[in-house]
Amino acid sequence: MINGDHDQLAHPISDDPKTPLLPLHGDPPQRKLSFRSSLSSILTLKNFYILLGPLLSTIVCLFVKLDGPVTSTNMLAILAWVFAWWLTEAVPMPVTSMSPLFLFPLFGISSADHVAHSYMDDVIALVLGSFILVLAVEHYNIHRRLAFNITMVFCGDPLNPPLLLLGICATTAFVSMWMHNVAAAVLMMPVATGIIQRLPTGPTQSDVENKFCRAVILGVIYSTAIGGMSTLTGTGVNLILVGMWKKYFPNEEPISFNKWFFFGFPFAFLLFIALWGILCLLYCSKGSGRALSAYLDKSHLKRELEFLGPMAFAEKMVLAVFSMLIVLWMTKSITDDVPGWGVLFNGRVGDGTVSVMMATLLFIIPNKKEKGEKLMDWNKCKKLPWSLILLLGAGFAIAEGVESSGLADILSETLDFLERAPYLAIAPAVCLISSIITEFITSNNATTTLVVPLLIQIAKGMHLHPLLLMVPGAIGAQFAFLLPTATPSNVVGFTTGHIEMKDMIKIGLPLKIAGIAALTLLMPTLGAYVFETNKDV
C-alpha cells in the first residue's frame, strides 16, 4: 500500500488519461481550435460564391420591379443565379449548366418536361455523333498520319521554314475544323514538339532556332482556334450560336453545316493568312532555312510515317465514314435551285441526324483485328464531352426562357437608344467585348451563352437582322489570343515551355485586331449574302 501510495504521489494524476493536467476555466484549447478551424472552413471564398447565386436571385425578386409579367422578373433572378455561378465557378460548370432543370419549374418559367427538351435536340445530337467519330480518329491515330503526310508536302527541298510552318499550321487548322479545339490542340501539340525537338536546346540553341520553336508552338495554338471557327463542329461556340438562333427564331431557316461553312471558311482563311504572315514577319524569316536545314528534313518525317506502318482496314473504314459524313453535311441543302438530298425527307432530317447515323456505323462495321470486334465500342466513348453538352442544353433553355418569360421584350425596349448607332461602330465593339470577357473572366462557351441573348435584343433595337450582331459576338468570343489561361488550347501550348506570355501578346494582339477588322467587313457583305440578312425576321 505504501509503495502504491508513493507511486501515486510521485506521478500524481499522470496515469489517468481522463484527469486534466490543468484546471479548467472555460472550453479546452482543443475545442476552441476545432471551432476556429470549422468556422474558417465554412467562411471561405468558395462558399461565398455558392451563396452569391441564391443571394442575387433573392435581391432581384424582392427589389427589382420590371414593367412586365412576374415571370420576366423571375427569369432575371434565374439569370443572376446561373451567371454568378458560371462566372465564379462556385460549383463545376456542368453542374451549373443543369440548374435550369430545377430553377425553371421552381420559378414558374416552364414545366420540368419542357425545360428538359432543351437538353436534347438536333444540335446536341450533332455534337454527340461528331465527337464519337473524332474519338475513332484519335483511337486509330489517323490525325498523326494526316499531319505527317501534309507536313512532308510543305517541308520543301531544300528546307523552307516559312513553308514548313505553313504546313504545320494548315494541318492543325484542318484537324481543328472537324474536332473540338481542345482535342485538336492535344492531338497536334505532340506532332509539333516532335518536329522541333530535333533542334538544339539550352545555351547551344541559336536565336533563329529559338524563334522557329516559338513560331511552331504559337502557330499550333492559334491555328487550332482559327480552324474551329470555320465549321459548326469545330467549336462549341458555333453550336451554341446555331442552337440559340433556332430557339429564338423557330420559324426561320436554321443555320446548316454548309451555310456556316460558306461564311466561316472564307473568314477563317483570311485570319489564317494573317496569322502566318505575322509569324513569318516576327519569328520565321525566309533566310533561316540554312540554319535549320541541318536538323529538319523529310527523312525525319518519313521515319515517323514508317513507324505508323501501312493503313489498316480499320483506319480506312473510319476515314471513309468520316468523309461520307462531311459529304452528306455539305450536300443536304445546297441552294434554292439545287436543294440537295434533304428535300427527299421534306426537311425532317437535320445535321444531327446524319451525324448520329454515321457514328452508329462505327459500332456495326468490324475492325478485322479481333473476331467480333467493331470499329468502336462504348468503352472508347467515355471521353465524350458531357460538360459541353450540358452547357449547350443550359444555353438553349435560357434562350427559350428569356423569350417565353417576356424578359426579351423588356430588354428590347430598354435598348432602343442604340437604334441610331452605326453598325460599323457596334460590330467591332461587340467583338472586342466578347473577346475581353473570354480573355479575363470565363470560357468562350459561357461568354457566348451570356452575350448572344443580349445581342439579339440590341439588334431588335437597332432594327438590324439579329445575325449581324450574333455572329460577331460569338466569333469574337473565340478571339482569346492574349493570355495563356484564356482557353484550354492556350494552356496546352504554354505548358510546353517553348513560349512566354510576351510571345502570345506579340502575336495575339495584331491577330485579334485583324480578326475584328475582317469580321466587321465580311459580316455586312459576305455574311449578308450567306445568311440572307436583308430579309425581315
Side-chain angles (χ1 to χ4, degrees):
M1 286 295 293
I2 295 173
N3 290 340
D5 290 341
H6 175 75
D7 289 342
Q8 196 167 4
L9 291 170
H11 304 283
I13 68 174
S14 63
D15 292 336
D16 186 359
K18 295 181 181 179
T19 308
L21 293 174
L22 295 171
L24 295 180
H25 300 285
D27 291 340
Q30 292 89 343
R31 193 175 298 173
K32 286 183 178 179
L33 187 63
S34 176
F35 175 74
R36 287 175 184 169
S37 62
S38 298
L39 191 63
S40 63
S41 66
I42 294 171
L43 299 177
T44 62
L45 192 61
K46 193 79 170 177
N47 287 338
F48 170 73
Y49 288 153
I50 291 172
L51 291 173
L52 183 63
L55 182 63
L56 289 175
S57 183
T58 304
I59 290 171
V60 170
C61 287
L62 292 177
F63 300 107
V64 176
K65 302 299 178 186
L66 298 176
D67 186 19
V70 177
T71 51
S72 63
T73 305
N74 290 351
M75 188 64 215
L76 186 62
I78 291 173
L79 292 179
W81 184 328
V82 173
F83 290 168
W85 275 8
W86 263 338
L87 294 173
T88 60
E89 295 188 14
V91 296
M93 189 170 284
V95 178
T96 305
S97 300
M98 291 191 290
S99 60
L101 290 168
F102 67 85
L103 290 176
F104 277 41
L106 293 178
F107 280 75
I109 304 300
S110 62
S111 67
D113 280 341
H114 190 78
V115 69
H117 289 162
S118 298
Y119 286 79
M120 180 51 73
D121 66 0
D122 187 63
V123 175
I124 292 174
L126 171 66
V127 175
L128 280 170
S130 58
F131 261 93
I132 290 171
L133 279 154
V134 166
L135 290 174
V137 168
E138 285 183 42
H139 180 72
Y140 292 105
N141 272 324
I142 295 171
H143 63 289
R144 288 180 61 83
R145 188 181 298 278
L146 178 70
F148 287 130
N149 273 297
I150 294 178
T151 308
M152 273 190 66
V153 172
F154 285 91
C155 189
D157 193 15
L159 178 69
N160 185 336
L163 195 60
L164 176 58
L165 181 63
L166 177 64
I168 295 169
C169 293
T171 305
T172 305
F174 181 77
V175 170
S176 186
M177 286 169 64
W178 313 109
M179 61 176 63
H180 195 271
N181 287 355
V182 183
V186 170
L187 294 175
M188 288 303 301
M189 200 57 72
V191 176
T193 53
I195 292 171
I196 62 177
Q197 72 183 6
R198 296 176 58 83
L199 298 174
T201 57
T204 59
Q205 190 178 55
S206 69
D207 184 58
V208 170
E209 294 156 358
N210 180 268
K211 282 186 173 182
F212 184 75
C213 290
R214 292 170 188 262
V216 168
I217 300 300
L218 290 165
V220 170
I221 291 174
Y222 296 130
S223 297
T224 298
I226 293 169
M229 296 174 195
S230 60
T231 63
L232 279 188
T233 54
T235 173
V237 169
N238 298 347
L239 294 166
I240 291 170
L241 171 69
V242 169
M244 285 195 172
W245 169 255
K246 185 178 176 182
K247 290 290 181 185
Y248 273 99
F249 307 100
N251 297 324
E252 298 298 319
E253 184 182 351
I255 301 174
S256 62
F257 182 92
N258 61 341
K259 180 175 280 193
W260 179 267
F261 185 80
F262 290 145
F263 174 79
F265 182 77
F267 167 73
F269 180 76
L270 288 177
L271 196 55
F272 178 82
I273 295 299
L275 169 65
W276 182 57
I278 294 166
L279 286 173
C280 289
L281 184 66
L282 298 178
Y283 287 98
C284 184
S285 62
K286 191 174 181 181
S288 58
R290 190 174 300 171
L292 298 173
S293 59
Y295 309 102
L296 298 173
D297 53 25
K298 285 189 176 181
S299 60
H300 163 64
L301 298 171
K302 285 179 181 177
R303 282 195 297 271
E304 292 287 351
L305 274 172
E306 288 170 3
F307 179 75
L308 289 174
M311 282 190 78
F313 172 81
E315 292 177 64
K316 292 176 182 176
M317 290 310 300
V318 170
L319 200 57
V321 171
F322 205 102
S323 302
M324 201 183 307
L325 172 65
I326 295 169
V327 171
L328 289 172
W329 272 340
M330 299 295 292
T331 57
K332 181 174 71 71
S333 174
I334 303 172
T335 65
D336 293 334
D337 298 327
V338 186
W341 61 266
V343 73
L344 300 174
F345 300 91
N346 299 319
R348 288 190 288 266
V349 174
D351 289 332
T353 312
V354 181
S355 182
V356 173
M357 181 178 70
M358 300 312 293
T360 304
L361 289 178
L362 299 178
F363 297 88
I364 297 171
I365 302 171
N367 65 9
K368 291 195 174 180
K369 286 186 176 181
E370 299 288 339
K371 188 175 181 181
E373 196 172 291
K374 310 302 180 185
L375 291 174
M376 285 290 283
D377 58 58
W378 192 248
N379 286 330
K380 296 182 185 129
C381 298
K382 289 177 180 177
K383 293 194 292 181
L384 282 171
W386 297 111
S387 58
L388 173 62
I389 290 166
L390 290 171
L391 180 61
L392 285 168
F396 300 159
I398 286 169
E400 192 164 329
V402 167
E403 189 71 30
S404 64
S405 66
L407 183 59
D409 297 328
I410 295 170
L411 286 173
S412 182
E413 292 170 7
T414 307
L415 297 167
D416 277 346
F417 70 94
L418 289 169
E419 183 178 345
R420 293 175 297 277
Y423 175 75
L424 291 179
I426 291 290
V430 164
C431 280
L432 186 60
I433 291 169
S434 290
S435 68
I436 289 172
I437 293 172
T438 303
E439 205 84 63
F440 295 99
I441 300 176
T442 187
S443 70
N444 51 21
N445 290 333
T447 299
T448 308
T449 308
L450 297 173
V451 168
V452 167
L454 185 61
L455 293 177
I456 292 172
Q457 307 313 320
I458 292 174
K460 287 180 179 178
M462 296 177 66
H463 301 291
L464 285 173
H465 192 286
L467 286 175
L468 287 172
L469 292 186
M470 290 171 70
V471 172
I475 293 182
Q478 301 173 67
F479 291 164
F481 299 147
L482 301 181
L483 299 179
T485 55
T487 68
S489 305
N490 293 6
V491 173
V492 171
F494 194 76
T495 51
T496 62
H498 288 286
I499 60 172
E500 300 173 6
M501 190 182 294
K502 64 180 182 182
D503 296 305
M504 296 193 69
I505 294 172
K506 191 187 293 186
I507 301 297
L509 188 58
L511 189 62
K512 188 190 287 274
I513 294 169
I516 292 173
L519 194 55
T520 303
L521 294 175
L522 278 182
M523 196 57 218
T525 51
L526 178 64
Y529 173 74
V530 172
F531 299 119
E532 299 178 319
T533 58
N534 295 325
K535 291 183 179 179
D536 293 332
V537 175

